[in-house]
Amino acid sequence: MAQRSSNSGSERGLDRLSAKSERVMNDIGEQLRRLEEQVRDSVSRGQEATERLLENAQREIRSQLDGLRREIDGLTRRVRATAAKKAPAKKPAGKKAPAKKPAAKKAPAKKPAAKKAPAKKPAAKKAPAKKPAGKKAPTK
């Protein structure tokens, strides 16, 4: 009987261990499902946030480009207005400009003047004359 009770005790222990392991496995499976759901939710929220960010960036870029177009249009109008003020008034198409008078005849070219004699070279400088060495007056 001791052996039988030992078998039944081991069987009961195995049954309890088996039940516990099943509960642990079920808990792990449930945690895994919740974790997978959280990951899917996080990925979905990340995608939505990315899409919103892209939409905002595109909207801002469009706004900036529209502003630049308006500035360029304004500058173009100013340049045209300034050019129109500075440009000479156009003559009506029916009138012609008066014909130019022929240029006056030029006088014939003058004859070259007679050649001058070459300039004289300056005379060489002379050294100053030396004073004759004379006797010095005796000092008293």
Side-chain angles (χ1 to χ4, degrees), residues 110-116:
K110 292 183 180 181
K111 294 181 182 177
K115 290 186 180 180
K116 293 183 181 178

Side-chain angles (χ1 to χ4, degrees), residues 57-75:
Q58 289 171 344
R59 188 177 317 118
E60 181 64 24
I61 289 170
R62 271 190 241 108
S63 171
Q64 296 279 333
L65 286 175
D66 288 343
L68 284 174
R69 282 187 193 111
R70 284 191 298 274
E71 285 184 42
I72 290 171
D73 290 343
L75 289 172

Side-chain angles (χ1 to χ4, degrees), residues 24-76:
V24 168
M25 289 299 289
N26 287 338
D27 289 345
I28 289 173
E30 182 62 30
Q31 287 177 353
L32 184 60
R33 280 189 290 281
R34 279 185 276 173
L35 184 61
E36 287 173 344
E37 187 176 333
Q38 288 175 347
V39 168
R40 279 192 300 271
D41 289 345
S42 294
V43 168
S44 176
R45 281 194 310 266
Q47 287 173 340
E48 290 169 1
T50 301
E51 288 171 6
R52 282 192 309 270
L53 179 66
L54 285 174
E55 288 170 1
N56 289 337
Q58 289 171 344
R59 188 177 317 118
E60 181 64 24
I61 289 170
R62 271 190 241 108
S63 171
Q64 296 279 333
L65 286 175
D66 288 343
L68 284 174
R69 282 187 193 111
R70 284 191 298 274
E71 285 184 42
I72 290 171
D73 290 343
L75 289 172
T76 302

